[in-house]
């Protein structure tokens, strides 16, 4: 954390017209908390400082959309995003959500999981290393040493407390180099202490959506 604080981060730039188009394509009404979290993430990523922000909110309160806006900012600047999740099921859910959300944009979304063959995995790794993949979603496979990103600018961690010691060591190795956005519904005491102490920034989503159809979880 001291190394991250001392580093000069990448100040992302935004095409305002494209940013507005992407924001307006969100099929639900933003809650005040969600809008504030999105603006905080945007400010973090556009500042010359490495981001380390925790977004805390219950399931369905809009954490994933915050992550999508962050990934859009990174992609707009030609930088890759990695989304680390604890289970294969969640990886596939995120892949469907991100693919749908970015369907109208020239950004490639891929997923790595245990359901893929070694040949398919090798093909994705090669495309990630060449920069053909903009957003990569997966489980602990993303932390394998043979996974080399061409220009990783953003690491999104879903439920960090569900990863083991070895995985957390690999995450720590990345923290001094890239922007970090952590999402959780149940932050562990250590994480909460670091946020309260000002070591990490935190946004809280405490307002439930005004309307929540069954498909909300696909874009929330």
């Amino acid at each position: 954390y001291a190394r991250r604080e001392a580093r000069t981060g990448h100040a992302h730039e935004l095409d305002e017209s494209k940013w507005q188009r992407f924001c307006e394509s969100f099929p639900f009404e933003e809650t005040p908390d969600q809008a504030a979290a999105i603006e905080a993430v945007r400010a973090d990523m556009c500042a010359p400082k490495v981001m380390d922000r925790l977004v805390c909110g219950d399931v369905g309160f809009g954490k994933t959309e915050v992550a999508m806006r962050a990934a859009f900012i990174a992609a707009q600047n030609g930088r890759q995003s990695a989304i680390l999740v604890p289970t294969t099921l969640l990886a596939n859910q995120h892949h469907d959500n991100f693919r749908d959300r970015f369907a109208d944009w020239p950004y490639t979304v891929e997923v790595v999981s245990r359901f893929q063959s070694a040949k398919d995995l090798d093909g994705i790794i090669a495309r990630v290393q060449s920069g053909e993949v903009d957003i990569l979603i997966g489980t602990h496979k993303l932390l394998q040493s043979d996974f080399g990103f061409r220009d990783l600018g953003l690491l999104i961690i879903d439920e960090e407390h569900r990863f083991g010691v070895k995985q957390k060591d690999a995450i720590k190795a990345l923290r001094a180099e890239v922007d970090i956005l952590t999402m959780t519904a149940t932050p562990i005491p250590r994480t909460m202490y670091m946020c309260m102490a000002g070591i990490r920034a935190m946004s809280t989503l405490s307002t439930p959506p005004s309307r929540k159809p069954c498909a909300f979880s696909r874009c929330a």
Side-chain angles (χ1 to χ4, degrees), residues 108-122:
T108 303
V109 182
E110 288 289 358
V111 63
V112 291
S113 71
R114 60 186 175 86
F115 293 125
Q116 291 163 316
S117 66
K119 180 179 179 180
D120 290 340
L121 185 60
D122 288 342

PDB file of all heavy atoms in Angstrom, residues 108-122:
ATOM      1  N   THR A 108     -13.464  -6.351 -26.960  1.00  0.00           N
ATOM      2  CA  THR A 108     -13.613  -7.798 -26.874  1.00  0.00           C
ATOM      3  C   THR A 108     -13.637  -8.263 -25.422  1.00  0.00           C
ATOM      4  O   THR A 108     -12.769  -7.879 -24.637  1.00  0.00           O
ATOM      5  CB  THR A 108     -12.457  -8.502 -27.611  1.00  0.00           C
ATOM      6  OG1 THR A 108     -12.426  -8.049 -28.968  1.00  0.00           O
ATOM      7  CG2 THR A 108     -12.636 -10.005 -27.585  1.00  0.00           C
ATOM      8  N   VAL A 109     -14.625  -9.080 -25.086  1.00  0.00           N
ATOM      9  CA  VAL A 109     -14.776  -9.627 -23.738  1.00  0.00           C
ATOM     10  C   VAL A 109     -14.598 -11.137 -23.808  1.00  0.00           C
ATOM     11  O   VAL A 109     -15.250 -11.810 -24.616  1.00  0.00           O
ATOM     12  CB  VAL A 109     -16.164  -9.295 -23.148  1.00  0.00           C
ATOM     13  CG1 VAL A 109     -16.285  -9.839 -21.730  1.00  0.00           C
ATOM     14  CG2 VAL A 109     -16.420  -7.797 -23.174  1.00  0.00           C
ATOM     15  N   GLU A 110     -13.714 -11.681 -22.978  1.00  0.00           N
ATOM     16  CA  GLU A 110     -13.480 -13.125 -22.941  1.00  0.00           C
ATOM     17  C   GLU A 110     -13.533 -13.624 -21.502  1.00  0.00           C
ATOM     18  O   GLU A 110     -13.446 -12.833 -20.551  1.00  0.00           O
ATOM     19  CB  GLU A 110     -12.123 -13.480 -23.552  1.00  0.00           C
ATOM     20  CG  GLU A 110     -12.058 -13.339 -25.071  1.00  0.00           C
ATOM     21  CD  GLU A 110     -12.857 -14.408 -25.802  1.00  0.00           C
ATOM     22  OE1 GLU A 110     -13.433 -15.301 -25.137  1.00  0.00           O
ATOM     23  OE2 GLU A 110     -12.900 -14.349 -27.039  1.00  0.00           O
ATOM     24  N   VAL A 111     -13.674 -14.939 -21.357  1.00  0.00           N
ATOM     25  CA  VAL A 111     -13.713 -15.559 -20.036  1.00  0.00           C
ATOM     26  C   VAL A 111     -12.824 -16.790 -20.046  1.00  0.00           C
ATOM     27  O   VAL A 111     -12.697 -17.481 -21.063  1.00  0.00           O
ATOM     28  CB  VAL A 111     -15.167 -15.950 -19.646  1.00  0.00           C
ATOM     29  CG1 VAL A 111     -15.729 -17.000 -20.600  1.00  0.00           C
ATOM     30  CG2 VAL A 111     -15.246 -16.425 -18.197  1.00  0.00           C
ATOM     31  N   VAL A 112     -12.164 -17.049 -18.929  1.00  0.00           N
ATOM     32  CA  VAL A 112     -11.390 -18.281 -18.769  1.00  0.00           C
ATOM     33  C   VAL A 112     -11.954 -19.032 -17.569  1.00  0.00           C
ATOM     34  O   VAL A 112     -12.193 -18.452 -16.510  1.00  0.00           O
ATOM     35  CB  VAL A 112      -9.887 -17.996 -18.568  1.00  0.00           C
ATOM     36  CG1 VAL A 112      -9.280 -17.464 -19.843  1.00  0.00           C
ATOM     37  CG2 VAL A 112      -9.644 -17.017 -17.431  1.00  0.00           C
ATOM     38  N   SER A 113     -12.179 -20.322 -17.768  1.00  0.00           N
ATOM     39  CA  SER A 113     -12.735 -21.152 -16.706  1.00  0.00           C
ATOM     40  C   SER A 113     -12.308 -22.598 -16.911  1.00  0.00           C
ATOM     41  O   SER A 113     -11.705 -22.950 -17.929  1.00  0.00           O
ATOM     42  CB  SER A 113     -14.259 -21.056 -16.684  1.00  0.00           C
ATOM     43  OG  SER A 113     -14.822 -21.725 -17.803  1.00  0.00           O
ATOM     44  N   ARG A 114     -12.679 -23.430 -15.966  1.00  0.00           N
ATOM     45  CA  ARG A 114     -12.282 -24.836 -16.036  1.00  0.00           C
ATOM     46  C   ARG A 114     -13.043 -25.594 -17.118  1.00  0.00           C
ATOM     47  O   ARG A 114     -12.703 -26.743 -17.432  1.00  0.00           O
ATOM     48  CB  ARG A 114     -12.515 -25.512 -14.677  1.00  0.00           C
ATOM     49  CG  ARG A 114     -13.950 -25.485 -14.197  1.00  0.00           C
ATOM     50  CD  ARG A 114     -14.065 -26.048 -12.784  1.00  0.00           C
ATOM     51  NE  ARG A 114     -15.410 -25.945 -12.232  1.00  0.00           N
ATOM     52  CZ  ARG A 114     -16.354 -26.846 -12.441  1.00  0.00           C
ATOM     53  NH1 ARG A 114     -16.104 -27.897 -13.189  1.00  0.00           N
ATOM     54  NH2 ARG A 114     -17.556 -26.688 -11.900  1.00  0.00           N
ATOM     55  N   PHE A 115     -14.068 -24.989 -17.695  1.00  0.00           N
ATOM     56  CA  PHE A 115     -14.842 -25.651 -18.737  1.00  0.00           C
ATOM     57  C   PHE A 115     -14.174 -25.572 -20.104  1.00  0.00           C
ATOM     58  O   PHE A 115     -14.639 -26.191 -21.056  1.00  0.00           O
ATOM     59  CB  PHE A 115     -16.248 -25.041 -18.824  1.00  0.00           C
ATOM     60  CG  PHE A 115     -17.100 -25.296 -17.615  1.00  0.00           C
ATOM     61  CD1 PHE A 115     -17.678 -24.256 -16.928  1.00  0.00           C
ATOM     62  CD2 PHE A 115     -17.308 -26.595 -17.161  1.00  0.00           C
ATOM     63  CE1 PHE A 115     -18.461 -24.487 -15.802  1.00  0.00           C
ATOM     64  CE2 PHE A 115     -18.090 -26.833 -16.046  1.00  0.00           C
ATOM     65  CZ  PHE A 115     -18.668 -25.790 -15.366  1.00  0.00           C
ATOM     66  N   GLN A 116     -13.095 -24.794 -20.219  1.00  0.00           N
ATOM     67  CA  GLN A 116     -12.443 -24.637 -21.506  1.00  0.00           C
ATOM     68  C   GLN A 116     -11.322 -25.654 -21.683  1.00  0.00           C
ATOM     69  O   GLN A 116     -10.664 -26.054 -20.722  1.00  0.00           O
ATOM     70  CB  GLN A 116     -11.892 -23.213 -21.632  1.00  0.00           C
ATOM     71  CG  GLN A 116     -12.984 -22.156 -21.751  1.00  0.00           C
ATOM     72  CD  GLN A 116     -12.457 -20.775 -21.451  1.00  0.00           C
ATOM     73  OE1 GLN A 116     -11.715 -20.588 -20.489  1.00  0.00           O
ATOM     74  NE2 GLN A 116     -12.846 -19.798 -22.243  1.00  0.00           N
ATOM     75  N   SER A 117     -11.123 -26.039 -22.913  1.00  0.00           N
ATOM     76  CA  SER A 117     -10.040 -26.974 -23.215  1.00  0.00           C
ATOM     77  C   SER A 117      -8.707 -26.239 -23.166  1.00  0.00           C
ATOM     78  O   SER A 117      -8.650 -25.004 -23.213  1.00  0.00           O
ATOM     79  CB  SER A 117     -10.249 -27.573 -24.606  1.00  0.00           C
ATOM     80  OG  SER A 117     -10.124 -26.566 -25.599  1.00  0.00           O
ATOM     81  N   ALA A 118      -7.630 -27.012 -23.078  1.00  0.00           N
ATOM     82  CA  ALA A 118      -6.294 -26.408 -23.047  1.00  0.00           C
ATOM     83  C   ALA A 118      -6.028 -25.625 -24.326  1.00  0.00           C
ATOM     84  O   ALA A 118      -5.392 -24.566 -24.304  1.00  0.00           O
ATOM     85  CB  ALA A 118      -5.239 -27.497 -22.856  1.00  0.00           C
ATOM     86  N   LYS A 119      -6.540 -26.121 -25.455  1.00  0.00           N
ATOM     87  CA  LYS A 119      -6.347 -25.447 -26.732  1.00  0.00           C
ATOM     88  C   LYS A 119      -7.054 -24.093 -26.736  1.00  0.00           C
ATOM     89  O   LYS A 119      -6.477 -23.082 -27.169  1.00  0.00           O
ATOM     90  CB  LYS A 119      -6.868 -26.318 -27.869  1.00  0.00           C
ATOM     91  CG  LYS A 119      -6.698 -25.695 -29.249  1.00  0.00           C
ATOM     92  CD  LYS A 119      -7.218 -26.617 -30.340  1.00  0.00           C
ATOM     93  CE  LYS A 119      -7.065 -25.972 -31.717  1.00  0.00           C
ATOM     94  NZ  LYS A 119      -7.579 -26.865 -32.808  1.00  0.00           N
ATOM     95  N   ASP A 120      -8.305 -24.068 -26.270  1.00  0.00           N
ATOM     96  CA  ASP A 120      -9.050 -22.814 -26.224  1.00  0.00           C
ATOM     97  C   ASP A 120      -8.380 -21.817 -25.277  1.00  0.00           C
ATOM     98  O   ASP A 120      -8.305 -20.622 -25.566  1.00  0.00           O
ATOM     99  CB  ASP A 120     -10.493 -23.062 -25.782  1.00  0.00           C
ATOM    100  CG  ASP A 120     -11.307 -23.796 -26.844  1.00  0.00           C
ATOM    101  OD1 ASP A 120     -10.897 -23.765 -28.019  1.00  0.00           O
ATOM    102  OD2 ASP A 120     -12.335 -24.407 -26.487  1.00  0.00           O
ATOM    103  N   LEU A 121      -7.905 -22.325 -24.134  1.00  0.00           N
ATOM    104  CA  LEU A 121      -7.246 -21.460 -23.155  1.00  0.00           C
ATOM    105  C   LEU A 121      -5.972 -20.857 -23.727  1.00  0.00           C
ATOM    106  O   LEU A 121      -5.703 -19.659 -23.552  1.00  0.00           O
ATOM    107  CB  LEU A 121      -6.941 -22.237 -21.881  1.00  0.00           C
ATOM    108  CG  LEU A 121      -6.359 -21.438 -20.714  1.00  0.00           C
ATOM    109  CD1 LEU A 121      -7.323 -20.337 -20.291  1.00  0.00           C
ATOM    110  CD2 LEU A 121      -6.054 -22.360 -19.536  1.00  0.00           C
ATOM    111  N   ASP A 122      -5.196 -21.669 -24.436  1.00  0.00           N
ATOM    112  CA  ASP A 122      -3.968 -21.172 -25.056  1.00  0.00           C
ATOM    113  C   ASP A 122      -4.276 -20.081 -26.083  1.00  0.00           C
ATOM    114  O   ASP A 122      -3.532 -19.098 -26.196  1.00  0.00           O
ATOM    115  CB  ASP A 122      -3.214 -22.317 -25.737  1.00  0.00           C
ATOM    116  CG  ASP A 122      -2.571 -23.273 -24.729  1.00  0.00           C
ATOM    117  OD1 ASP A 122      -2.412 -22.870 -23.562  1.00  0.00           O
ATOM    118  OD2 ASP A 122      -2.238 -24.408 -25.121  1.00  0.00           O
TER     119      ASP A 122
END
